[in-house]
């Protein structure tokens, strides 16, 4: 084993979603379309929230940050994949792989923690409506966001530092379309006990604990809604958290699906295909879920488009006059 060690790794090979070059080329336009829809949809969500003063509330503050995180999350993997397909190269440098892993874990962690914070926000809004603005004040919201960011930074940095201590074999092919942590660790020739331990601890810290917090919040929310006497009141209370609940189900459903699929299947490419759901499809669906189900977002988007249309007309008229 020691004879196959490579002390100075220059690059890894990303095998992508398929071993067939022709099929890889066919994936370029679908993934480019998905990426552009994701980028545009989340950007419109951010602009709508920023430009509409009625949406300057804690819930939409966290939603705008979730949209920004989703843009960054998708941007860590898809552009590199598209570049590799276009240039017909599957290589990624060692430093590039470390950077991609770091930012992928960073924004995945932020997404996870923001969903937990948003569940707590809905809990306070429904169970303690009279104290909502006192509890969810701007300072506390900023602390929650900063705490989510710092925790994700520390966990991602820990994983990257532990990767640096590993020596790798000459077989440096990653059965994925991006540098996935587990896949990279499996390529190592040296002892990976600390890496595996850190991975399990991080899964508990950024997976089990947030999910427990979300379930706890919604158990209390459901109990509070059931105490409301009128059907209209129950519907109104539940509608305020329906979009968030849909995103939570999709996020954890796809993540757990990928985890169990990769554990049960010996074919790693199957896990790579399944991971497309939470790395590409999920960030694309979030703006549609919140936009289609939320009347305030719809109105803000109409205002945004009407304002942009008016500005374009003014510029056109001004150009004609000059």
């Amino acid at each position: 084993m020691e004879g196959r060690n490579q002390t100075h790794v220059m690059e890894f090979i990303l095998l992508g979603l398929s071993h067939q070059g022709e099929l890889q080329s066919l994936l370029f336009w679908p993934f480019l379309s998905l990426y552009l829809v994701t980028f545009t949809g989340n950007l419109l969500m951010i602009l709508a929230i920023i430009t509409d003063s009625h949406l300057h509330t804690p819930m939409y503050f966290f939603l705008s940050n979730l949209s920004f995180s989703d843009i960054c999350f998708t941007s860590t993997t898809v552009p590199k994949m598209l570049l590799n397909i276009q240039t017909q190269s599957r290589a990624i440098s060692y430093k590039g792989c470390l950077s991609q892993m770091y930012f992928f874990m960073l924004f995945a962690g932020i997404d996870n923690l923001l969903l937990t914070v948003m569940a707590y926000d809905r809990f306070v809004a429904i169970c303690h409506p009279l104290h909502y603005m006192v509890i969810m004040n701007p300072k506390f919201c900023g602390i929650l966001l900063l705490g989510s960011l710092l925790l994700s930074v520390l966990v991602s940095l820990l994983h990257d530092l532990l990767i640096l201590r590993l020596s790798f074999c000459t077989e440096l092919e990653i059965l994925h379309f991006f540098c996935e942590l587990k896949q990279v660790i499996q390529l190592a020739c040296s002892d990976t006990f600390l890496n595996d331990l850190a991975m399990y601890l991080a899964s508990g810290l950024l997976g089990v604990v947030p999910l427990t917090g979300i379930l706890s919040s919604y158990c209390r929310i459901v109990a509070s809604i059931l105490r409301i006497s009128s059907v209209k009141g129950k519907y109104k209370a539940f509608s305020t958290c329906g979009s968030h609940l849909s995103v939570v189900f999709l996020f954890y459903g796809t993540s757990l699906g990928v985890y169990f699929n990769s554990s049960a299947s010996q074919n790693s490419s199957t896990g790579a295909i399944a991971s497309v759901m939470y790395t590409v499809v999920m960030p694309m669906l979030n703006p549609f879920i919140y936009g289609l189900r939320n009347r305030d977002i719809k109105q803000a988007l109409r205002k945004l488009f009407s304002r942009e249309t008016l500005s374009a007309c003014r510029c056109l008229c001004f150009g004609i006059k000059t």
Side-chain angles (χ1 to χ4, degrees):
M1 183 70 75
E2 289 299 322
R4 299 192 304 140
N5 281 358
Q6 185 172 328
T7 55
H8 298 290
V9 178
M10 297 302 295
E11 62 181 22
F12 292 97
I13 304 299
L14 298 173
L15 296 181
L17 298 175
S18 173
H19 298 290
Q20 301 176 8
E22 298 81 6
L23 186 58
Q24 281 277 84
S25 300
L26 292 175
L27 295 173
F28 180 81
W29 291 110
F31 272 85
L32 178 61
S33 301
L34 288 172
Y35 178 68
L36 291 177
V37 171
T38 301
F39 190 93
T40 305
N42 283 287
L43 182 61
L44 286 174
M45 186 74 69
I46 295 170
L47 292 174
I49 293 171
I50 290 174
T51 55
D52 194 331
S53 59
H54 295 97
L55 300 182
H56 293 176
T57 62
M59 181 178 74
Y60 294 111
F61 168 73
F62 293 123
L63 178 57
S64 63
N65 282 280
L66 180 67
S67 293
F68 176 75
S69 179
D70 280 340
I71 290 175
C72 298
F73 180 58
T74 310
S75 297
T76 60
T77 57
V78 178
K80 177 59 180 174
M81 177 190 179
L82 296 175
L83 178 64
N84 283 1
I85 293 174
Q86 193 68 8
T87 59
Q88 296 184 348
S89 169
R90 298 187 175 189
I92 182 171
S93 67
Y94 179 69
K95 291 180 180 178
C97 188
L98 286 175
S99 300
Q100 189 180 65
M101 278 193 296
Y102 173 79
F103 286 109
F104 180 84
M105 291 183 289
L106 171 65
F107 292 112
I110 291 173
D111 265 14
N112 201 1
L113 294 172
L114 280 177
L115 288 175
T116 309
V117 169
M118 292 170 75
Y120 177 73
D121 172 78
R122 293 299 83 206
F123 159 71
V124 176
I126 294 173
C127 300
H128 304 284
L130 299 178
H131 301 95
Y132 177 69
M133 294 310 297
V134 176
I135 297 173
M136 301 302 293
N137 59 75
K139 183 179 179 181
F140 184 58
C141 290
I143 291 172
L144 289 174
L145 178 62
L146 184 61
S148 301
L149 176 62
L150 289 177
L151 183 58
S152 298
V153 165
L154 291 174
V155 171
S156 304
L157 186 61
L158 174 64
H159 282 305
D160 257 26
L161 291 175
L162 288 175
I163 289 290
L164 288 173
R165 55 178 284 277
L166 297 178
S167 57
F168 292 90
C169 303
T170 53
E171 292 83 2
L172 299 174
E173 294 182 343
I174 299 174
L175 297 171
H176 223 298
F177 64 94
F178 67 95
C179 286
E180 199 261 339
L181 178 64
K182 187 176 179 181
Q183 292 280 333
V184 174
I185 291 174
Q186 288 176 349
L187 296 176
C189 293
S190 53
D191 181 41
T192 61
F193 173 76
L194 288 178
N195 299 81
D196 294 332
L197 180 62
M199 200 160 48
Y200 288 124
L201 290 176
S203 298
L205 185 62
L206 295 180
V208 178
V209 173
L211 181 58
T212 303
I214 291 171
L215 292 176
S216 175
S217 295
Y218 273 106
C219 284
R220 297 183 182 185
I221 287 171
V222 170
S224 181
I225 290 175
L226 291 176
R227 288 196 293 268
I228 300 174
S229 55
S230 67
V231 177
K232 186 178 180 180
K234 290 180 180 179
Y235 175 78
K236 184 178 180 181
F238 182 74
S239 64
T240 61
C241 53
S243 298
H244 176 259
L245 199 56
S246 301
V247 172
V248 168
F249 276 127
L250 281 172
F251 182 85
Y252 281 99
T254 53
S255 300
L256 290 173
V258 170
Y259 174 77
F260 289 118
N261 179 73
S262 60
S263 299
S265 176
Q266 297 297 321
N267 187 2
S268 298
S269 62
T270 306
I273 295 170
S275 67
V276 172
M277 281 300 297
Y278 75 89
T279 57
V280 182
V281 178
M282 259 300 303
M284 181 193 69
L285 290 178
N286 285 354
F288 291 99
I289 293 172
Y290 281 102
L292 294 175
R293 295 178 60 93
N294 193 302
R295 186 173 57 187
D296 295 332
I297 291 291
K298 288 180 183 178
Q299 291 176 351
L301 286 171
R302 289 193 194 101
K303 290 179 183 178
L304 179 65
F305 282 120
S306 62
R307 189 181 296 113
E308 291 298 325
T309 303
L310 183 60
S311 299
C313 289
R314 285 176 178 174
C315 290
L316 182 61
C317 291
F318 179 78
I320 292 172
K321 288 179 181 179
T322 54

